Amino acid sequence: MIIDTHTHLDNQKFIDDIDEVIKRAKEVGVEKFIIPAADPSDLNRAIKLSEKYNNIYFAVGVHPVDIEKYDDKLLLDYITHPKCVAVGEIGLDYHWVKDKDKQKKQIELFHRQINIAKEFNKPIIVHIREATADSYEIIKSHPEIRGVFHCFNAAHQLLDFSDRFYYGIGGVITFKNARKLVEVFPEIPKDKVIIETDSPYLTPHPYRGKRNEPYYTILVRDKIAELWDVSKEDVEEITTKNARRLFNI
């Protein structure tokens, strides 16, 4: 069994064939799906999917590139929903956001959403892009918070939080230019690795350029099995147990 811990099934690219996407995934053993909040305008669709399918869950939060859409209400109205398992994806993105004032606003709202997660005892799903140093300091300042580094960027310093954070591994680990991640990956404790796709983005090799979907978690699983030198079944057992522990599903 595999849990896709980060899949944007609420994305417009899945509107026409969501049932088929879920069916294909289940045929290869993907049994549960978590939809992280990204664009607030898609949140209602994520909630409706979680209510339609008993194996779909969602998270609430505002992505750092969408800070102008932030409203506490987005979190507080849905964080107690029975299918809400986390706050995220939240964090810092200095790749797409270069303006210093907007970066400061990202930091402010990262703290704010972490505090809401703590209040409701939810883990966080963290997005970090070209902002590792500031993200590190923020996580360090909240020693009670737990969560996952989505699309783990292979930054060694983030391994300092392996006592309370997990590391999301997706299609990037199969890329030919993912040398740094492949080198760092063995340093992640096995009990802190979870599988994700970030679909419809970051499709694993050899299907890069096509729409990603939860079905392709099997390619991530296979690469992890190779790097750990264990069976595919062992990878499924370990990562599923980890995901269940983090998200309480």
Side-chain angles (χ1 to χ4, degrees), residues 206-232:
Y207 300 104
R208 293 186 71 177
K210 295 185 177 181
R211 181 190 69 174
N212 199 5
E213 58 181 78
Y215 172 89
Y216 290 123
T217 54
I218 60 174
L219 299 175
V220 179
R221 174 204 64 192
D222 293 353
K223 184 63 177 181
I224 292 174
E226 174 191 326
L227 294 173
W228 277 350
D229 192 23
V230 300
S231 69
K232 298 173 184 179

Side-chain angles (χ1 to χ4, degrees), residues 2 11 18 27 30 54 74 103 107 171 174 185 202 227 236:
I2 299 172
N11 188 277
I18 185 66
E27 287 173 351
V30 186
N54 62 10
L74 283 167
Q103 289 179 358
I107 291 172
T174 70
F185 179 76
L202 299 177
L227 294 173
E236 292 187 18

Side-chain angles (χ1 to χ4, degrees), residues 124-142:
I124 60 174
I125 300 169
V126 181
H127 172 104
I128 300 173
R129 191 166 186 190
E130 297 178 16
T132 298
D134 284 350
S135 299
Y136 181 96
E137 293 303 320
I138 291 169
I139 297 295
K140 185 178 178 181
S141 72
H142 293 276

Side-chain angles (χ1 to χ4, degrees), residues 20-39:
E20 289 81 4
V21 167
I22 293 171
K23 182 175 182 288
R24 276 193 294 273
K26 291 190 72 173
E27 287 173 351
V28 294
V30 186
E31 295 290 345
K32 294 182 184 294
F33 314 81
I34 297 174
I35 303 174
D39 186 337

